[in-house]
C-alpha cells in the first residue's frame, strides 16, 4: 500500500514528465519543418502503397551532407512519435505516411503544408514570443508589439511575408473547397447564379466552386496587393477593392474565415454591407459563413483545444476572437439579419447560412 510520501513522489514524477513535454515541445515544429524542407513527406508519398527503407529514403534526400546521414533515423524516430510517419519494424525497418503526414505533402489537395510553414515564419513566432511584453503595454495586439504595425499593414508592406500568408490561406482554402463541393455541403450552392467570395485571396475556393458549378458566376473580392494581376475565366472574376467600401451585388456572399479576424463592431459593419448587396431571403439571398463555432465539437477534446488556441491567436494578432453560437447570433441580429442556420461541422470550423 502506498503511503502519502510515495503518492507525492509519484505525482512529482508525473508532473515532471509533463513539464519536460512543455520544455521540449518547441522541437516538434522544428523537426516537422525540417522534414518538409528535406521533402520527406513527398518521398514517402511517391511510395504510398509500399514501405520506404531507411537507405532508400536517405538516397532520395536532396543535398544531404553525407556526414549527416546518421541523424536521419533520429529525426525519423521523433516524427514517428509525433504520428506523421509509421515505422514498420517487422517489414524491413521501413517507413510509410500516416493520414496526418499526408497533410504535409506538397500540392496535395488537402495539404496543410503551407499553413504550417506560415505558422513557423519568424514574424509569427516573434508575435507569440511578445505576448508577455504586450500585456504590459497599451498596443492593441502582440503583433504590433513585436513589429510596430498591424498584421494587415505588415502584409501590405512586406511582399515576402504577404506571399507566405497568402500561400497558407490558399492551402487551407483547397482543403475547405474539397468539403464545400462534397456531399456534406450538398445544397448550399443550389439555385445560385452569382457568388462573391469576400477576402478570397488567390481564389482557391472560388475556382473550385466555379469548376463544380459552371453556371454559377463567382467573383473574388480582395485588396489590390492580394489580387495583383490575376485573371479570371468565363465564370470567375477577380475584383480589387476593400470589403468595407463596396461589395459587388450577387445572390450570395461567401465569408470564409474572415469574420474571426475582426472585432464585433467591424463584423457588424461588414455584415450590413453584405446585406445591402444580396436580394431578399424570398429571392434566394443569403450569406454563407465558414468560421469557428467555439466548443461546437465538445466530444473531440483535441478540436476544442485547437479552438482555444486559435482564439488566443486571433486576440494577439488581430484584436479579434473566435465566437460561440450565442455571440454569432448577436452579430447577425445586430446587422439586421432575420435568421441563421448552422448547416454542418467542417472539423475545426462550421458552415453557417444567414438570411436577410
Amino acid at each position: 500500500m502506498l503511503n502519502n510520501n510515495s503518492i507525492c513522489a509519484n505525482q512529482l514524477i508525473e508532473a515532471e514528465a509533463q513539464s519536460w513535454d512543455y520544455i521540449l515541445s518547441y522541437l516538434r515544429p522544428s523537426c516537422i519543418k525540417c522534414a518538409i524542407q528535406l521533402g520527406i513527406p513527398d518521398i514517402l508519398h511517391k511510395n504510398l502503397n509500399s514501405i520506404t527503407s531507411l537507405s532508400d529514403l536517405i538516397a532520395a534526400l536532396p543535398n544531404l551532407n553525407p556526414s549527416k546521414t546518421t541523424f536521419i533515423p533520429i529525426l525519423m524516430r521523433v516524427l514517428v512519435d509525433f504520428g506523421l510517419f509509421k515505422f514498420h519494424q517487422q517489414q524491413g525497418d521501413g517507413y510509410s505516411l500516416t493520414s496526418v503526414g499526408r497533410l504535409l505533402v506538397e500540392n496535395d489537395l488537402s495539404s496543410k503544408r503551407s499553413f504550417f510553414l506560415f505558422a513557423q515564419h519568424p514574424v509569427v513566432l516573434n508575435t507569440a514570443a511578445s505576448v508577455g511584453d504586450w500585456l504590459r503595454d497599451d498596443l492593441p495586439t502582440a503583433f504590433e508589439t513585436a513589429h510596430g504595425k498591424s498584421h494587415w499593414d505588415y502584409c501590405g508592406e512586406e511582399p515576402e511575408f504577404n506571399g507566405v500568408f497568402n500561400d497558407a490561406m490558399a492551402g487551407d482554402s483547397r482543403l475547405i473547397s474539397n468539403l464545400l463541393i462534397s456531399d456534406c455541403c450538398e445544397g448550399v450552392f443550389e439555385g445560385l447564379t452569382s457568388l462573391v467570395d469576400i477576402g478570397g485571396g488567390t481564389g482557391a475556393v472560388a475556382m473550385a466552386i466555379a469548376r463544380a458549378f459552371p453556371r454559377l458566376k463567382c467573383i473574388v473580392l480582395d485588396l489590390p496587393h492580394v489580387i495583383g494581376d490575376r485573371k479570371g475565366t468565363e465564370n470567375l472574376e477577380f475584383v480589387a477593392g476593400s470589403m468595407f467600401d463596396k461589395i459587388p451585388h450577387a445572390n450570395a456572399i461567401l465569408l470564409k474565415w474572415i469574420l474571426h479576424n475582426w472585432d464585433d463592431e467591424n463584423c457588424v459593419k461588414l455584415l450590413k454591407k453584405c446585406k445591402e448587396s444580396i436580394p431578399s431571403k424570398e429571392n434566394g439571398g443569403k450569406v454563407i459563413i465558414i468560421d469557428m463555432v467555439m466548443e461546437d465539437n465538445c466530444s473531440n477534446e483535441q478540436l476544442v483545444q485547437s479552438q482555444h488556441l486559435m482564439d488566443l491567436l486571433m486576440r494577439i494578432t488581430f484584436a479579434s476572437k473566435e465566437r460561440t453560437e450565442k455571440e454569432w447570433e448577436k452579430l447577425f441580429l445586430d446587422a439586421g439579419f432575420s435568421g441563421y442556420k448552422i448547416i454542418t461541422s467542417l472539423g475545426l470550423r462550421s458552415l453557417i447560412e444567414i438570411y436577410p
Side-chain angles (χ1 to χ4, degrees), residues 93-161:
D93 292 356
Y95 301 92
S96 64
L97 271 180
T98 65
S99 56
V100 179
R102 187 164 180 172
L103 294 180
L104 299 177
V105 173
E106 189 173 18
N107 296 326
D108 189 274
L109 289 177
S110 300
S111 178
K112 296 194 73 67
R113 173 195 184 107
S114 57
F115 210 113
F116 182 87
L117 292 175
F118 164 72
Q120 288 302 296
H121 194 283
V123 170
V124 177
L125 296 178
N126 288 340
T127 299
S130 300
V131 171
D133 294 331
W134 167 63
L135 290 172
R136 294 190 292 268
D137 66 31
D138 59 356
L139 293 171
T141 66
F143 193 99
E144 287 162 273
T145 297
H147 307 292
K149 61 190 73 173
S150 74
H151 175 275
W152 303 118
D153 287 342
Y154 197 96
C155 283
E157 298 170 15
E158 300 291 339
E160 186 271 336
F161 179 71

Side-chain angles (χ1 to χ4, degrees), residues 200-352:
T202 57
V205 170
M207 288 178 195
I209 295 172
R211 282 195 298 267
F213 303 93
R215 296 183 180 179
L216 175 58
K217 181 180 179 181
C218 295
I219 300 171
V220 177
L221 175 68
D222 215 316
L223 296 171
H225 71 266
V226 177
I227 295 296
D229 58 356
R230 288 183 171 82
K231 305 297 182 185
T233 58
E234 187 175 341
N235 66 327
L236 176 66
E237 180 183 357
F238 287 91
V239 175
S242 169
M243 60 189 179
F244 290 108
D245 293 335
K246 184 179 179 181
I247 298 173
H249 288 272
N251 291 143
I253 290 173
L254 176 64
L255 293 166
K256 175 203 161 285
W257 235 5
I258 298 297
L259 295 174
H260 78 155
N261 291 329
W262 300 93
D263 60 21
D264 289 353
E265 181 181 353
N266 278 302
C267 282
V268 170
K269 180 181 177 182
L270 176 56
L271 287 171
K272 286 181 176 179
K273 284 281 185 183
C274 292
K275 189 169 180 288
E276 294 171 359
S277 298
I278 58 175
S280 65
K281 179 181 179 181
E282 293 71 26
N283 290 317
K286 63 182 177 181
V287 176
I288 303 164
I289 296 170
I290 299 172
D291 228 313
M292 195 177 296
V293 179
M294 282 287 284
E295 302 188 5
D296 195 38
N297 292 283
C298 292
S299 61
N300 190 322
E301 184 178 343
Q302 191 169 32
L303 272 180
V304 170
Q305 290 178 3
S306 296
Q307 288 181 338
H308 292 167
L309 287 171
M310 187 64 75
D311 182 43
L312 184 149
L313 177 63
M314 291 301 103
R315 292 172 189 270
I316 67 173
T317 307
F318 303 105
S320 60
K321 62 181 180 180
E322 303 296 349
R323 295 175 172 88
T324 64
E325 183 175 350
K326 286 186 177 180
E327 289 173 318
W328 280 117
E329 183 179 37
K330 186 177 186 307
L331 284 186
F332 303 152
L333 293 175
D334 288 349
F337 285 84
S338 63
Y340 72 95
K341 178 170 62 175
I342 299 176
I343 294 181
T344 188
S345 171
L346 301 173
L348 194 69
R349 290 157 288 187
S350 295
L351 190 147
I352 310 169

